[in-house]
Amino acid sequence: MTVTGGVLQAVPALPSAADTAVRLLARGDDEPPVTLPRDPAREAAERELSKQMYHENDPSWLQRALEAFWDWVDDLLGAASAATPGGALGLVVIVVAALAVGAALWWRLGTPRRRPVTAPALFD
């Protein structure tokens, strides 16, 4: 619509199909303007949404895998911090204590080594 001299006038800017659709929508009766059965409409929507233009910005498989991994780690740490007394700080204290015990054992016992064992002769 344009204003010319204080009077609104309709501008025929819509193509005929869009104009018809607008008229059908403005009809006011209770029936929808499009009467398409459910299955063909679903198939048409699937065909439309499977076009590449809708998937240009989808993340790659590596990004999706990393996102799933970090979500799993977040869920794991969230469950662990909920189960420990003190929440996340309690979990950090328990992890640091476990690492300190492991380091003390490593320092005291040294690197685990295998010593060659000679088997005694069976029938001498």
Side-chain angles (χ1 to χ4, degrees):
M1 299 208 168
T2 61
V3 178
T4 56
V7 177
L8 290 175
Q9 294 181 349
V11 177
L14 294 175
S16 63
D19 188 40
T20 305
V22 169
R23 283 194 191 122
L24 287 174
L25 284 174
R27 235 180 5 187
D29 56 356
D30 291 336
E31 289 187 32
V34 177
T35 56
L36 190 63
R38 176 175 289 196
D39 288 336
R42 180 184 48 81
E43 291 168 359
E46 284 177 357
R47 273 193 311 275
E48 178 66 27
L49 293 176
S50 67
K51 292 181 180 176
Q52 181 60 32
M53 63 185 273
Y54 295 113
H55 303 284
E56 291 174 350
N57 297 323
D58 287 351
S60 68
W61 65 270
L62 180 62
Q63 290 171 329
R64 289 192 308 261
L66 285 174
E67 185 68 29
F69 172 74
W70 288 119
D71 286 343
W72 175 76
V73 168
D74 183 43
D75 291 342
L76 182 69
L77 291 177
S81 68
T84 56
L89 181 62
L91 178 63
V92 169
V93 169
I94 290 173
V95 168
V96 168
L99 289 175
V101 167
L105 287 173
W106 190 283
W107 176 71
R108 179 70 179 124
L109 299 176
T111 304
R113 292 184 197 94
R114 286 187 161 199
R115 294 188 177 94
V117 177
T118 58
L122 188 55
F123 299 107
D124 273 342

